[in-house]
Amino acid sequence: MCISIRRRHLLAGAVGLVPLALLAQAADTVAWSDVRLLDGRVLPAAQLAQRTVVVYMWASWCPFCAKQSPMIQALHAQESRRPDGLLVLGYTIDRTEKAATDYLAKHRYSFANAMAGPVVEQWFGKRRTLPEVYVVDRGRVVFRESGEMFAEDVAALSRYARR
């Protein structure tokens, strides 16, 4: 069962079973650096720091990602039409850029994507499952979900957009 960090903290705090600090695997804040995308563009750190960013960890070989990626694309399509909408940023753990770009092209995914690496692990912690979704609001991690999400849960991420 997938539970967001916020729900886990509430559950652990209420039950008193696990210290809250042990549950947080991601940093509380993200000090963005420029992100080089697979298509060659660069997302400047300053732009990321001023936005609400949905970070999506995925792989081309992951069957759960294959089910969730169309939902992430739909969220991107919806939010990219809004001036203050969410910015969707995917990080692939594929071994090669070619594997990732071929997959993205085949499925016509247009949300921004980059290769994951040590900096991404520093920001979001060591990955334990795929897919993983984070929402970073102006540098602060406000949501985390490990494992596949339902369509209505992905769509509900739009609640984090600044309106």
Side-chain angles (χ1 to χ4, degrees):
M1 179 166 86
C2 298
I3 302 173
S4 71
I5 277 183
R6 180 174 290 143
R7 285 181 279 174
R8 274 189 268 179
H9 282 187
L10 291 173
L11 179 63
V15 179
L17 298 176
V18 181
L20 298 180
L22 294 178
L23 292 172
Q25 297 167 5
D28 291 332
T29 60
V30 174
W32 293 108
S33 58
D34 292 351
V35 175
R36 186 184 69 80
L37 301 177
L38 293 172
D39 64 9
R41 293 179 299 137
V42 174
L43 282 176
Q47 178 184 357
L48 293 166
Q50 294 303 311
R51 299 283 304 269
T52 302
V53 183
V54 174
V55 176
Y56 174 52
M57 306 288 189
W58 65 276
S60 63
W61 45 262
C62 168
F64 305 107
C65 302
K67 291 169 83 176
Q68 188 162 309
S69 292
M71 299 174 224
I72 296 293
Q73 175 63 34
L75 178 69
H76 163 70
Q78 171 189 317
E79 292 296 325
S80 65
R81 292 189 295 258
R82 298 182 175 140
D84 290 332
L86 300 170
L87 173 66
V88 176
L89 174 58
Y91 280 105
T92 179
I93 65 162
D94 282 323
R95 291 182 189 247
T96 67
E97 285 189 21
K98 182 170 178 13
T101 56
D102 287 352
Y103 180 84
L104 293 167
K106 177 181 176 183
H107 297 284
R108 297 184 177 156
Y109 296 138
S110 60
F111 55 93
N113 278 279
M115 296 296 291
V119 173
V120 175
E121 188 172 306
Q122 179 184 352
W123 292 335
F124 300 104
K126 189 168 178 79
R127 205 190 65 270
R128 295 185 185 256
T129 63
L130 279 178
E132 288 185 351
V133 173
Y134 300 83
V135 176
V136 182
D137 184 9
R138 296 186 185 210
R140 192 171 63 90
V141 177
V142 296
F143 176 86
R144 175 178 184 225
E145 190 73 46
S146 295
E148 185 180 349
M149 295 172 68
F150 295 110
E152 59 270 17
D153 296 325
V154 173
L157 293 174
S158 64
R159 73 183 177 272
Y160 290 102
R162 298 193 174 273
R163 307 231 193 270

